[in-house]
Amino acid sequence: MAGVTASDAGTPIRRESRLSWLWQLLGDPLGAFGLFLVLVVVVSAAFADVLAPYDYKALDVKARLGAPSWDHLLGTDNLGRDTFSRILHGGQIALYVALVSIGASLMLGLILGMLAGYGPRWLDNFLMWIFDSVRSFPVIMFALAVITVVGPSLETIIFVVIATTTPGYARIARASTLATKNTEFILAERSLGAGVWRIMFSHLVPNIVQPLLILCSMDIPVVITIEAGLSFLGLGVKPPTPSWGSILNDGFGFIRNTPWLVVAGGIPLIVTTLGFTFLGEALRDVLDPKLKKDR
Amino acid sequence: MLLYTVKRLGLAILIVCLAMLMLLSAIHMVPGDPAGIALGPRATPEMREEFRALMGLDRPFFVQYFKFLANVMAGDLGVDVWSKRPVSTMIGEQLPHTIALALVGLGWAILLGIPMGCFSAVHRNSPLDKLTAILSVGCIAIPSFIVSLYALLLFAVELRWFPAIGAGEAGDLEDQFVHLVLPGLAVGLGWVGYLARFVRTSMLEVMGENHIRMARAYGLPTRRITYIYALKLAILPTVALLGVGVGSLISGAVFAEIIFARPGVGKMVVDAVNTRNYPIVMGGVLVTTMLFALSTLISDLVAAWLDPRIRQSL
Amino acid sequence: MNANGGDRVLEVRDLSVSFRTGRGVVRALRHVDMAVPRNKIVGIVGESGCGKSTLINSVLRLLAANAVVGDSSTVLFRGDDVLRMNDRQLRAMRGQKISMVFQDPMTALNPVISIGTQMADILYRLDMTAAGKRERAADMLAQVGIPDPMRRLDDYPHQFSGGMRQRICIAMALMMNPALLIADEPTTALDVTLEAQIIHLMKDLRARFECSMLFVSHNLGLIAELCDEVVVMYAGEVVEQGEVHDLFHRAKHPYTQMLLECDPARIEKASRALPTIQGSVPDLIDLPRGCIFGPRCPKRYEPCDASPPGTYGVNAIHSARCFQVRDA
């Protein structure tokens, strides 16, 4: 019960408890577990070059489709490449796509949301309509359509993700802009001659950091799933760049003979999505008690 | 209520039109010659000319757009670039498989998710409730194609409980259904989690309401209070949510169709993407978007009809 | 205690209820003694948070999961201790022998089940045909003044106005011809005209159905009009109780006196400000050592701070928890 405060859009973040949420997060077993999984994934991706026992591109035709052994912890694929090394490097791609596209969505969403909230009414309606429309496509179908037009590549995936996740951030920014735009401090600063956008930005951002953070951690597993899914379909990153999706795709071709390839390719995806989701849930419970489900 | 329905329908049509506009303009915005990209470097100029005429790419953009719209209204989605078969016929053949898969997935989600949510709400804060909560989050988080792959590996390849690939003998309903069980589960598992959480939340909300306290004060049997008095009210927002579920089930169906080697719109579109077969991709996206809009509309209407407060004004 | 004992439908003895919360143990009810005699209407009056709701929830055993009931507490309903009943006995009692009319008729009825079904469901224990139950329900609706009851059985709550819904709730409460009817501020959510109608209806029904009633209200005027006896509660304790006229005309406890002064209907001389009671309700986690009303009491003297007062009789039908009554 202690530390529960109303987190209205207008309430500034309490200064004295800057880091207390982190301790609360660690106090939640699932949150701590999620954070642990996320750290494992991030560290193993960041140090993939050091940790990987083999070069992920190195072919070893004699050892192709090898079963897990001490030499190759998770076996080798149809070209004799070490699956464990490929998985470590695949993490780099997954996190790269997630960070770049979520970062871009965040910035774009903030700008569009503030435009919708502060701009003229017609612009607001138009943007909201666009956001609603984007949500009404099944994501994969949208991705497939875009890929048909511009061809499969890492950039295409990032574009698709930005297009589908931006509305979420824009909505938060818009709601907060609407709530703050006529408050007195904004009007007061305007009367002092400060630029509207600068004021909005500097007042808005601290107020919506928390919901944006929650949404980010919820979106990351979705993005990683989209990247892996498209790579699994052979429509994602181009070989030989290792993606968890393409590892699965390679394994899928030999599912009856060498099932460990599929099993191994799926594990990092499960660990990552579960980790980020648990972390996101716990973050939400800690940062936004209003949304807390009564567990 | 009639106005509401008309509004929803209008919105759905608008969205579909927007979808087509975006697709067509995307084709135009791509640098280079779409025909060249589609047909590859080995295409002769005649082939490109034929392709442009076939796709209507030689006419101004808005003419193309309205021509396309008019054709769609008439049920004409163009022809397959390679086989020259009408796209609408091809989709017509594949669509029932995809819809069946989505429905079985939804069936799994309802069959497992709603009881899970009820159970959690009734036994809230019990260890089993917490376990259910973790399971739900897990179901939501794990990508559906991983579920498909693991399910295929475990139940079809290792245990051999279910057939691994295909849609079953045409005409043999039982065989077809058996072929749907596993892909359906894989597609629907994510929604098991969503539904369980959603039902739990709305059950708990309803259980705290006054009329439930009143039903208890009258000593009504607990089962009747939970499964009639509370669930009948708590299920309404869930029903409205199911329509949204179909959209994500269609996305999952793309993977399930590939992994389980089933016929369906998803597989057809993925194959078409690889061969740059625009009309099929457009037709597929159009039909699935429409399906999504339609299912959202239907579920909204069903929820409204189930609620006497709204049904009144129908 | 009250003199006309013996034939009591409900008898609450030494009832203490606490709630375990994150901040500490909230001692919501402490050593409450009261009773409802047969065919009498007993009113409970007090500010919000004084424990009225906890008291009636204890009678029906509808307490929240974090509630703890005192070991020596008993709630005797026709001689059986409600606090020691099992689930089956409880369900047999609820709705059948004790029924309840809730505060807000707008939320008390299930919005997606027709009122006919909701009413018939109350009769689920009876060996009756569905048609018979419907007829009984329609008959009850007619008794509470709902026109064309047979046809309205298939209607849903939202098709009735607030006053009508409260009538339906009363009809439901009387379906099983209960021995005790608990009404929890049944008119608070209604406007004044409807309030008068509902009170009139309750008086009328009381004569016809011969049931005892526990009537909770913060409106002293209603209590005076409807009830035979009054229980005044403050911060989880019964501070004064007795026969309605005696208590209203010879209120002994300072809290009751102030409550009567604050009642807008009783203010005789025109005044700009409504009289209010100074201070606020004490923290029920950390209770004062002496009299619970001490911190706000204008007539406080030495004994009040030392120890809590006991219950002292004013006369045979009237008692108060105040040292001044003892010392008078």
Side-chain angles (χ1 to χ4, degrees):
Chain A
M1 298 293 285
V4 174
T5 52
S7 54
D8 290 318
T11 315
I13 308 168
R14 292 170 307 145
R15 292 283 167 210
E16 71 277 12
S17 58
R18 260 231 179 107
L19 283 176
S20 73
W21 61 270
L22 192 65
W23 295 115
Q24 273 179 280
L25 188 71
L26 291 173
D28 176 353
L30 274 185
F33 182 58
L35 191 64
F36 170 73
L37 292 184
V38 167
L39 284 178
V40 165
V41 171
V42 170
V43 167
S44 64
F47 296 101
D49 293 323
V50 186
L51 293 170
Y54 296 88
D55 180 359
Y56 67 87
K57 294 190 295 285
L59 309 182
D60 182 359
V61 184
K62 275 176 287 178
R64 62 192 296 269
L65 294 175
S69 65
W70 284 113
D71 283 342
H72 298 278
L73 282 176
L74 295 172
T76 54
D77 68 5
N78 52 326
L79 299 174
R81 294 174 297 194
D82 180 54
T83 307
F84 183 60
S85 305
R86 288 179 64 74
I87 282 174
L88 289 177
H89 282 277
Q92 288 182 334
I93 296 297
L95 292 180
Y96 172 74
V97 171
L99 291 181
V100 169
S101 50
I102 295 287
S105 299
L106 191 67
M107 290 317 293
L108 194 62
L110 262 176
I111 293 166
L112 288 180
M114 277 166 61
L115 267 177
Y118 208 77
R121 188 62 173 273
W122 63 267
L123 186 65
D124 185 19
N125 288 340
F126 176 70
L127 286 172
M128 290 306 284
W129 185 66
I130 297 275
F131 297 158
D132 281 342
S133 310
V134 168
R135 280 199 327 177
S136 58
F137 289 102
V139 178
I140 289 295
M141 283 297 171
F142 177 70
L144 290 178
V146 174
I147 289 169
T148 320
V149 175
V150 301
S153 69
L154 200 60
E155 290 73 32
T156 312
I157 295 180
I158 292 176
F159 168 75
V160 168
V161 170
I162 292 174
T164 49
T165 53
T166 299
Y169 300 94
R171 278 173 177 281
I172 293 178
R174 174 183 175 269
S176 183
T177 308
L178 285 177
T180 23
K181 86 168 168 187
N182 288 325
T183 49
E184 274 163 20
F185 59 71
I186 298 277
L187 296 176
E189 287 204 25
R190 273 189 77 182
S191 67
L192 291 174
V196 174
W197 292 107
R198 208 186 56 77
I199 308 171
M200 287 306 289
F201 204 77
S202 60
H203 281 287
L204 195 65
V205 171
N207 279 329
I208 53 176
V209 162
Q210 297 188 353
L212 290 178
L213 200 62
I214 296 166
L215 191 59
C216 280
S217 62
M218 297 290 204
D219 269 349
I220 288 173
V222 177
V223 174
I224 291 176
T225 303
I226 293 174
E227 185 271 315
L230 290 173
S231 296
F232 173 71
L233 295 177
L235 301 172
V237 296
K238 292 201 183 72
T241 313
S243 155
W244 293 336
S246 43
I247 295 171
L248 279 171
N249 191 12
D250 293 342
F252 178 55
F254 306 94
I255 193 166
R256 283 174 196 278
N257 307 317
T258 58
W260 58 83
L261 277 178
V262 167
V263 175
I267 289 170
L269 269 169
I270 293 177
V271 167
T272 313
T273 49
L274 277 185
F276 277 106
T277 309
F278 283 148
L279 183 66
E281 297 265 313
L283 262 183
R284 187 194 54 197
D285 289 354
V286 170
L287 294 181
D288 199 351
K290 245 195 310 194
L291 286 177
K292 191 180 166 78
K293 308 167 289 128
D294 45 342
R295 280 233 187 103
Chain B
M1 190 60 211
L2 204 67
L3 190 78
Y4 173 74
T5 315
V6 170
K7 249 172 105 177
R8 292 286 327 228
L9 207 69
L11 195 71
I13 290 173
L14 221 69
I15 284 167
V16 172
C17 288
L18 182 86
M20 294 187 297
L21 185 67
M22 279 169 68
L23 282 177
L24 271 171
S25 49
I27 292 178
H28 269 260
M29 279 190 296
V30 182
D33 176 17
I37 297 171
L39 300 177
R42 281 177 299 162
T44 61
E46 293 80 45
M47 278 169 73
R48 289 183 195 174
E49 214 41 61
E50 189 201 22
F51 179 81
R52 275 192 210 106
L54 187 75
M55 301 288 293
L57 290 172
D58 48 356
R59 277 166 293 179
F61 175 66
F62 280 100
V63 175
Q64 282 182 49
Y65 181 60
F66 287 108
K67 183 84 178 52
F68 184 73
L69 263 185
N71 284 346
V72 169
M73 295 297 171
D76 177 10
L77 294 172
V79 293
D80 180 349
V81 173
W82 311 112
S83 74
K84 306 285 188 290
R85 291 183 64 206
V87 172
S88 47
T89 316
M90 295 173 70
I91 289 179
E93 290 164 4
Q94 304 294 321
L95 195 59
H97 292 290
T98 302
I99 292 179
L101 181 58
L103 286 181
V104 172
L106 203 61
W108 271 111
I110 292 171
L111 220 65
L112 295 176
I114 292 180
M116 251 165 90
C118 282
F119 176 87
S120 279
V122 173
H123 304 274
R124 89 189 252 206
N125 292 333
S126 68
L128 271 171
D129 173 29
K130 292 191 171 112
L131 184 71
T132 319
I134 297 173
L135 272 179
S136 309
V137 177
C139 287
I140 295 168
I142 297 173
S144 82
F145 59 92
I146 303 277
V147 181
S148 288
L149 283 171
Y150 281 14
L152 177 74
L153 202 56
L154 183 63
F155 295 111
V157 176
E158 294 297 325
L159 298 172
R160 293 173 192 280
W161 287 357
F162 293 96
I165 55 167
E169 264 332 289
D172 183 351
L173 276 181
E174 195 191 320
D175 190 42
Q176 287 188 333
F177 184 74
V178 170
H179 277 82
L180 271 172
V181 173
L182 214 47
L185 178 66
V187 165
L189 195 64
W191 271 75
V192 172
Y194 273 120
L195 282 189
R197 289 179 75 162
F198 199 74
V199 169
R200 177 183 185 272
T201 314
S202 61
M203 272 296 264
L204 281 181
E205 200 174 298
V206 171
M207 297 279 252
E209 281 175 19
N210 251 335
H211 52 87
I212 296 297
R213 209 160 75 95
M214 170 136 152
R216 281 196 220 289
Y218 279 110
L220 294 193
T222 317
R223 277 168 163 277
R224 190 160 174 85
I225 293 177
T226 310
Y227 295 106
I228 307 287
Y229 278 62
L231 190 58
K232 215 171 164 179
L233 197 56
I235 206 77
L236 294 175
T238 313
V239 172
L241 188 75
L242 287 180
V244 183
V246 172
S248 68
L249 291 181
I250 291 170
S251 285
V254 174
F255 295 105
E257 280 166 8
I258 304 242
I259 290 166
F260 292 95
R262 294 177 51 80
V265 176
K267 187 170 161 48
M268 186 177 79
V269 170
V270 171
D271 291 344
V273 171
N274 284 319
T275 56
R276 292 272 170 121
N277 205 333
Y278 286 111
I280 291 194
V281 176
M282 283 184 65
V285 173
L286 204 65
V287 166
T288 46
T289 309
M290 252 177 341
L291 207 63
F292 187 21
L294 200 68
S295 63
T296 320
L297 180 70
I298 291 175
S299 63
D300 268 4
L301 284 177
V302 170
W305 181 78
L306 284 175
D307 188 338
R309 289 166 295 185
I310 306 178
R311 194 193 321 161
Q312 267 284 299
S313 51
L314 265 170
Chain C
M1 280 302 301
N2 297 302
N4 50 351
D7 200 13
R8 286 166 172 167
V9 176
L10 180 75
E11 190 168 352
V12 175
R13 277 195 216 136
D14 194 30
L15 178 63
S16 299
V17 178
S18 310
F19 294 100
R20 278 168 305 175
T21 71
R23 287 198 307 127
V25 176
V26 176
R27 306 188 58 207
L29 279 186
R30 295 175 310 281
H31 310 294
V32 168
D33 290 300
M34 53 95 50
V36 180
R38 181 181 293 267
N39 294 343
K40 298 274 182 193
I41 302 186
V42 175
I44 299 182
V45 71
E47 296 165 296
S48 38
C50 71
K52 294 175 293 189
S53 302
T54 308
L55 175 59
I56 52 181
N57 284 339
S58 316
V59 172
L60 279 168
R61 273 268 297 275
L62 286 173
L63 290 168
N66 61 341
V68 185
V69 179
D71 288 336
S72 57
S73 305
T74 50
V75 175
L76 298 177
F77 173 70
R78 300 208 290 199
D80 297 324
D81 190 353
V82 175
L83 299 177
R84 281 155 190 85
M85 283 183 182
N86 60 29
D87 271 8
R88 200 177 46 78
Q89 289 169 311
L90 268 179
R91 276 224 316 277
M93 178 195 78
R94 290 177 188 161
Q96 186 161 238
K97 294 171 188 153
I98 302 184
S99 61
M100 179 147 172
V101 176
F102 286 88
Q103 183 170 355
D104 183 5
M106 304 311 273
T107 60
L109 295 166
N110 192 307
V112 294
I113 297 174
S114 71
I115 59 154
T117 308
Q118 292 188 54
M119 293 182 81
D121 270 355
I122 295 172
L123 303 175
Y124 77 97
R125 305 175 184 87
L126 300 186
D127 188 20
M128 257 171 120
T129 61
K133 288 180 184 172
R134 277 177 69 86
E135 216 154 286
R136 175 85 183 269
D139 178 49
M140 285 310 304
L141 287 182
Q143 297 245 26
V144 295
I146 305 259
D148 198 6
M150 205 62 198
R151 249 192 38 213
R152 302 224 65 181
L153 282 178
D154 294 321
D155 283 353
Y156 291 87
H158 69 275
Q159 290 161 285
F160 296 87
S161 66
M164 285 293 175
R165 287 194 217 181
Q166 195 57 297
R167 284 167 190 268
I168 293 168
C169 289
I170 293 170
M172 288 172 80
L174 296 171
M175 282 291 276
M176 293 297 288
N177 217 340
L180 177 66
L181 176 66
I182 301 177
D184 183 6
E185 309 214 17
T187 60
T188 317
L190 303 176
D191 64 46
V192 185
T193 2
L194 288 173
E195 179 170 69
Q197 285 177 20
I198 295 291
I199 294 301
H200 183 76
L201 174 71
M202 291 184 82
K203 275 175 135 174
D204 181 43
L205 291 173
R206 177 211 182 184
R208 259 187 281 162
F209 285 86
E210 294 191 336
C211 69
S212 317
M213 222 184 275
L214 192 58
F215 185 87
V216 180
S217 181
H218 58 255
N219 185 332
L220 294 168
L222 287 184
I223 300 253
E225 194 179 332
L226 189 68
C227 302
D228 303 301
E229 290 179 17
V230 196
V231 175
V232 182
M233 292 188 68
Y234 176 78
E237 284 177 11
V238 172
V239 291
E240 187 162 12
Q241 61 181 315
E243 195 273 330
V244 67
H245 287 105
D246 200 67
L247 189 135
F248 277 179
H249 289 113
R250 280 186 290 278
K252 291 296 177 207
H253 197 283
Y255 177 68
T256 318
Q257 291 166 354
M258 295 172 82
L259 212 54
L260 288 167
E261 275 168 31
C262 291
D263 188 8
R266 287 179 149 250
I267 297 169
E268 277 139 25
K269 71 170 189 277
S271 149
R272 290 211 160 220
L274 275 173
T276 51
I277 301 179
Q278 291 293 312
S280 55
V281 181
D283 183 4
L284 294 182
I285 293 175
D286 190 19
L287 296 166
R289 198 154 61 91
C291 173
I292 187 75
F293 190 59
R296 297 170 82 183
C297 185
K299 299 177 179 169
R300 185 172 64 179
Y301 63 121
E302 304 84 60
C304 302
D305 293 331
S307 63
T311 302
Y312 311 104
V314 178
N315 54 41
I317 53 171
H318 184 176
S319 65
R321 196 183 274 263
C322 180
F323 286 118
Q324 287 182 329
V325 176
R326 179 191 68 180
D327 298 343

